[in-house]
Structure formats: C-alpha cells, structure tokens
Amino acid sequence: MVFKRLLGSVGIGGPSVDTVLTPGAVQPGGALTGEVRLKGGKADFDIEHITLELVARVEAEHDDGESEGVVAFERFTVAGGFRLTEGEQRSVPFSVHLPWETPVNELYGQALGIVLGVRTELGVAGAKDKGDMDPLAVGPLPAQEAVLEAFGQLGFGFKSADLEYGRIGGTGQQLPFYQEIEMTPAPQYAHQVNEIEVTFLANPGGMEVVLEADKRGGLFSGGHDALNRFTVSHQDVGHTDWNALVESWVHQLVERHSAHGGHGAHGAYGHSDPYAHKGDHHGHHGHHGHGDGHRSGPGMGTAIAAGAAGVAVGVAGGLVAAEIVDEVGDFFEGDDEGDEG
C-alpha cells in the first residue's frame, strides 16, 4: 500500500481527472460552471484539494524584443478534504465567477485569437498534479458588444486582438495584463490614424474604455500615440446612442495634438483622462504601433477588414482560423512546457 501511494503521488497508478465545462461562452464577471470528474487509481488516495486555475497566453515586451508566456490570473479551490477509494468514480460540480477583466476571446461565435484556459490542479497525498487543461470561451458584456458594434457601424474594421503584459496608468486595472483590440480606421479618419486600439477594463458597476490611436505623422513630425480613457455604466446599454458616443470618443482622440492637449468628455455617459498612459511595466509603448513589425498575439497573421455593416461581419466573413486553431492546440497539448515561463 505504501509503495502504491508512492507511485500514485508521481502519477503512476494515481487518480485521473477530467474537467468538463458547461458548453457556451461565459461573460466577464459571469459564472463559470461545470464538473470535475475523478476516477480512482490503484489504491485509496486522500484528495487534499481540487483547484481551478484560469490561464492566458500573454505577450511581454522588453529590451530584447517580445516573448510569450502563460500567465495564471485567478485560482479557485472547489473541493478537497476527502478520500477517493480505489477505482471510485466521483463527480464534483462547481460554479465560480470570472474576474470582470477577463479578456473577450469570442465575438458572435467567432474566435478572436486570444488563448484562455482552465487548468485543473489535483492535490493528492502531498503531491500536485496539473491534471487537466480545457479551453475557455469568453463572450463580450452587452456594453462591450455595443462599443464594438458602434465601431463597425462607423466604418472601422477588426484587425487583430492580443494580450499585453503590463498595466495602464490612471486606470483601475486589476489583472497583470490587458487586452488590445486593434481596429483599422474608418475612411474619414484614415488620413489621421493608422489604427485605433480598444481596451476594456470592466468592473461590477461599468467599465473603462481605453482608446489609443497610432497617429500618422505630418511632413515635419513623426507619428505618435494618443490615448484617452472613458467610462460607461452597464445600465447605459439600452438607452445610449452608441454610434454618436463612440464617434465623439474617436473625434477627441484623433484631434488631440499632444498628451496634455486633450479635453474631457464629462457628459452623461462618461469622461476621458488625457493623462492616462499604457506601459507602466516594460516600457510598453517604446516601439509599439509604428509600423515596426509588431506582432499582435498568437496566430494573429490573419488581419480582418470589417465594413460599415459592423465588426461582426468582418469577423464572421473574413476570419481564417487555421493559425489560431494551431496555436490553441499547441497551448492545450503542450502547456506543461510553458508552466514556468
């Protein structure tokens, strides 16, 4: 029995674990449900804990360039303190809430290329077994969807999405990374900006919308980034003219000529912070977004143009998912190699 326990603790003859998530996308702040299915090994084992870990593939910029790694951003202990007998099958249901800043990786059923997962850790007789890894699908909150749809209606196109390690100054950001959704400019702004990047920082009451424009340089001046921050309430979704609101945001953004020349939109629906800036960690905007070969996220070689009919049309109509599928497959099949990265 002692020898069986020793073998089990290193994964030989030990219990197996399979986590099954409830089908469908979950919203940020919403409940992630499912069950952890256990099958006993060749001996009785004391299950000390069953822990779910939310992980994401994130980019980091540093002096030597860019690198990618797996970042764990939340942990939930859903069970523990029981004995799993030899060969026993047991199901442990769970319901946990995602952080409000969980990135969106699915829009209208189409993948955006953001890789998220749920890793199950089984604590058995003093040892830890990573056990199982499952892909996590996260859809937008109504306010996030309304903002993205407004961009599409105004003529902006979806280009790519990625996760950047670091923090955005002047915001209430909680996670150690943030999501950027890159948009190609609408025709009326194409002469002023190369692209606009959108970041959502949601919370229980609403969300901050951070907009960054990679501006085109004039004859005697190089291009530079301008950034504004706006806030909206979840309650605004049903009674807001989102096209007009988003257009006012964009107009403010592209018309700013210096970091201190912006003006706030202190209206009924939000405000801007002209002094907010990205990249508190690792000098994020030292070389980003200026046509210098910046690579946006895993498998993001597929740029998508969304027309005036909405961002959804661009995603559903033009997404070539082969690279994204390969990246996701590598992530979930070989995640153990990147655990320490």
Side-chain angles (χ1 to χ4, degrees), residues 1 5 20 31 34 52 69 87 93 95-96 113 122 128 136 170 255 269 287 296 332-333:
M1 177 63 73
R5 282 185 179 277
V20 179
L52 304 180
S95 177
V96 297
L122 195 63
K128 292 182 179 179
L136 174 62
E255 291 302 318
Y269 301 117
H287 60 275
S296 297
F332 292 109
E333 290 175 9

Side-chain angles (χ1 to χ4, degrees), residues 66-128:
E66 286 187 351
S67 60
E68 292 182 349
V70 178
V71 174
F73 60 97
E74 185 62 279
R75 288 172 61 88
F76 309 95
T77 298
V78 297
F82 62 90
R83 172 161 291 192
L84 188 69
T85 60
E86 181 176 356
E88 177 187 356
Q89 296 190 23
R90 181 182 296 208
S91 177
V92 179
F94 64 83
S95 177
V96 297
H97 282 81
L98 299 184
W100 281 92
E101 290 181 15
T102 301
V104 174
N105 65 352
E106 184 176 301
L107 181 62
Y108 299 102
Q110 297 293 319
L112 299 182
I114 300 296
V115 183
L116 303 174
V118 179
R119 181 161 53 195
T120 305
E121 180 181 282
L122 195 63
V124 183
K128 292 182 179 179

